[in-house]
Amino acid sequence: MTSCESQLTGTQRGYQALDEAGLDVTVKTLLNWLSDPEYNIRRSYRDVIHTAYENVAVVPAEPLPDTIKRGDFEISGWVTTGTDRRQRGTPDAAPLRIDGRRGHWDEIEDLWTAGELTDDKFEDHSIDDVIVEDIGEGSDGWTFDGSRYSVEVR
């Protein structure tokens, strides 16, 4: 795959553009495209990918909803700060609660608007610009090192 197509699979906005353009392939096919630059992609799929990329490039993203920027977040899953690692959102430990109103959303919103907000960038900025702004740095920063976690906005 070219870098243009991999950019489509790196953001939610890109995935949405692929879906709206009509791309319907299996996960296995998509993984082959991403991992093997010599993999033969059907012409019809190339046209769909091209259309999706053009749509992402010319259609501006909707702004982040105020319900996100002003929301209360409850994070469940493994949360670590320093040597304190615990599974949050269980009967033994409440979810990690974050007040989004205290966060600085400018960089997240800029990346979102540019179509460059990947999951990794969102996690990094959420920690630095939202979590730390609300509850502090923690004893050694915050990490979410489990294989799964959920975030609810209230």
Side-chain angles (χ1 to χ4, degrees), residues 11-154:
T11 65
Q12 181 60 35
R13 194 166 148 213
Y15 273 112
Q16 182 179 351
L18 287 169
D19 184 53
E20 289 173 1
L23 183 69
D24 185 23
V25 296
T26 66
V27 172
K28 181 181 178 190
T29 299
L30 187 58
L31 289 173
N32 284 335
W33 290 355
L34 293 171
S35 64
D36 184 358
E38 301 299 317
Y39 190 84
N40 188 19
I41 301 173
R42 285 191 229 159
R43 176 145 179 76
S44 61
Y45 286 148
R46 289 177 194 206
D47 292 341
V48 169
I49 291 167
H50 181 73
T51 298
Y53 187 71
E54 284 181 341
N55 288 344
V56 167
V58 298
V59 176
E62 296 288 325
L64 284 176
D66 284 339
T67 54
I68 298 294
K69 296 188 291 187
R70 295 185 181 146
D72 290 320
F73 297 86
E74 291 187 354
I75 303 171
S76 298
W78 287 104
V79 178
T80 303
T81 181
T83 59
D84 180 10
R85 182 177 193 255
R86 64 179 97 164
Q87 191 166 12
R88 304 300 295 257
T90 68
D92 298 325
L96 179 64
R97 291 187 173 94
I98 305 299
D99 181 352
R101 292 171 293 217
R102 299 183 70 174
H104 296 288
W105 290 91
D106 293 345
E107 289 188 48
I108 293 172
E109 196 150 32
D110 289 347
L111 290 166
W112 170 261
T113 303
E116 298 172 0
L117 186 62
T118 63
D119 289 344
D120 288 340
K121 287 180 184 178
F122 181 71
E123 184 175 331
D124 290 345
H125 283 286
S126 294
I127 291 169
D128 295 341
D129 302 339
V130 180
I131 293 173
V132 169
E133 291 300 319
D134 182 33
I135 60 176
E137 183 67 37
S139 62
D140 193 22
W142 294 96
T143 58
F144 300 88
D145 49 354
S147 60
R148 291 182 15 177
Y149 58 96
S150 65
V151 178
E152 290 186 46
V153 181
R154 299 191 183 262

